[in-house]
Amino acid sequence: MVKGPDMLISEFARATDLPVDTIRFYIAKGLLKPERSAKGGANPYQMFRQEDVTAARMIRLQQTLGYSLGEILALNEEYRAGEHSPERTIEVLQMQIARLEERRAALDAALSFLRGKVEWIKAGKPDGAPRLEDYRC
Amino acid sequence: MVKGPDMLISEFARATDLPVDTIRFYIAKGLLKPERSAKGGANPYQMFRQEDVTAARMIRLQQTLGYSLGEILALNEEYRAGEHSPERTIEVLQMQIARLEERRAALDAALSFLRGKVEWIKAGKPDGAPRLEDYRC
DNA sequence: CTTGACCATGGAGCATAGTCCATACTTATA
DNA sequence: TATAAGTATGGACTATGCTCCATGGTCAAG
């Protein structure tokens, strides 16, 4: 494990393209756990590593996929809990994969519906418009 | 256009599997525009048609795909505005399709990443763990 | 004509996900 | 050593998307 140079919160904000306030919000929620630097006196500065950047990217990704921060936190903690058991890790990953596949199926259905509608209009709106009910999503 | 029998809000709630309060909230937002029945006196009852059921399903679908109610409203109004211009209608549909395809690409990237990680673990975690940064999402 | 189920309206309250201060301390630079 | 820039903390505030409730009117059955 190569340790990249730690960074302060403003640099981390640039690295992740997230507002500082949002980062602090995620820390308060337990989604990010930066180390504390020796600097900063009574309120030590938080130091972020490269893996925190990855974690932040993962959070944003999971968010776009419809997970709430609470769910993301739960998933991440479950992941950490079984970090030293490959079987458990794979199990958690498989669950996430299954959920994403469901979402993908719904998305595909929606795309089929919209494409069907475009075709139907291009065909001059013949009888039998594509019906959303016919697409499993 | 076959007109199905209209229904009152509680029946509409059953048909869409949405709480009555949520339906009223959507109406207040302008996402649903039921007709008014002759019944109800000073506060006439709202009558829902089959197309409202479809609209409600569409709203929920768009929501799972990451649209806010405001965006959904804008899209729907744009759609209605160009309802009598097939070209405009197709344009709006293509925009929605493009956006969904982007989302699909991100989802696929995430799936690849997770699958790659499972494989990597099954292979006994050799050097070079899959890195999220390598997946464009 | 009463009673229970249903409807409308308006407003309060809540969870999520931030966003924005005010205050105060620390550090680097001049 | 003054000063600007960066940091921490706590709390207020906002937007979105509901959810709940009080009040009061309406309707259909008995």
Side-chain angles (χ1 to χ4, degrees):
Chain A
M1 175 75 104
V2 180
K3 270 205 163 184
D6 291 355
M7 46 190 145
L8 291 176
I9 198 166
S10 63
E11 192 184 343
F12 183 66
R14 278 191 298 279
T16 57
D17 202 34
L18 287 176
V20 168
D21 277 331
T22 299
I23 295 165
R24 290 205 235 265
F25 179 71
Y26 288 170
I27 294 167
K29 276 248 155 185
L31 286 161
L32 293 173
K33 298 189 201 265
E35 302 283 316
R36 291 297 181 151
S37 145
K39 293 178 188 168
N43 292 320
Y45 293 174
Q46 300 173 109
M47 303 301 296
F48 300 82
R49 292 145 302 179
Q50 193 54 41
E51 63 181 277
D52 292 317
V53 175
T54 302
R57 283 177 57 92
M58 197 64 203
I59 290 168
R60 295 310 256 193
L61 174 60
Q62 291 178 101
Q63 264 187 317
T64 72
L65 298 173
Y67 290 92
S68 72
L69 293 185
E71 292 172 310
I72 293 169
L73 179 62
L75 273 171
N76 290 1
E77 294 203 325
E78 193 162 22
Y79 185 82
R80 278 179 197 163
E83 205 162 18
H84 299 298
S85 154
E87 293 76 19
R88 185 84 193 98
T89 304
I90 287 178
E91 209 177 314
V92 173
L93 290 174
Q94 297 284 21
M95 275 174 48
Q96 296 200 43
I97 288 171
R99 184 152 172 191
L100 292 197
E101 276 172 343
E102 260 182 55
R103 217 166 271 272
R104 205 188 108 116
L107 212 161
D108 281 344
L111 273 170
S112 297
F113 171 66
L114 291 177
R115 291 204 181 99
K117 202 152 178 183
V118 167
E119 289 314 307
W120 171 73
I121 292 171
K122 282 185 176 166
K125 299 190 183 181
D127 281 356
R131 295 186 314 131
L132 183 54
E133 294 84 341
D134 298 336
Y135 295 83
R136 177 82 198 88
C137 51
Chain B
M1 178 75 105
V2 180
K3 271 204 162 184
D6 291 354
M7 46 188 146
L8 292 176
I9 199 165
S10 63
E11 192 184 342
F12 183 66
R14 277 191 297 279
T16 57
D17 203 35
L18 287 176
V20 168
D21 278 329
T22 299
I23 295 165
R24 288 206 236 265
F25 178 73
Y26 288 170
I27 294 166
K29 277 250 156 186
L31 287 160
L32 293 173
K33 299 189 200 269
E35 302 282 317
R36 292 295 181 154
S37 146
K39 292 177 188 166
N43 293 319
Y45 293 174
Q46 301 173 111
M47 302 302 296
F48 300 82
R49 293 146 302 180
Q50 193 53 42
E51 63 181 276
D52 293 316
V53 175
T54 302
R57 282 176 57 91
M58 197 65 204
I59 290 167
R60 295 310 259 190
L61 174 60
Q62 291 178 101
Q63 265 187 317
T64 72
L65 298 174
Y67 290 92
S68 72
L69 293 185
E71 291 173 311
I72 294 169
L73 180 61
L75 274 171
N76 290 1
E77 295 203 324
E78 193 162 23
Y79 185 83
R80 278 177 198 165
E83 203 161 21
H84 298 300
S85 155
E87 293 76 19
R88 186 83 194 98
T89 305
I90 287 178
E91 208 178 315
V92 173
L93 291 174
Q94 298 286 19
M95 274 175 49
Q96 296 200 42
I97 288 171
R99 183 152 172 189
L100 292 198
E101 277 172 342
E102 261 183 54
R103 216 166 270 274
R104 208 186 101 121
L107 212 162
D108 281 344
L111 274 170
S112 297
F113 171 66
L114 292 178
R115 292 205 181 98
K117 201 150 177 182
V118 167
E119 288 315 307
W120 171 72
I121 292 172
K122 281 184 176 165
K125 299 191 183 180
D127 281 357
R131 296 186 315 132
L132 182 54
E133 293 85 340
D134 298 337
Y135 294 82
R136 180 84 198 89
C137 52

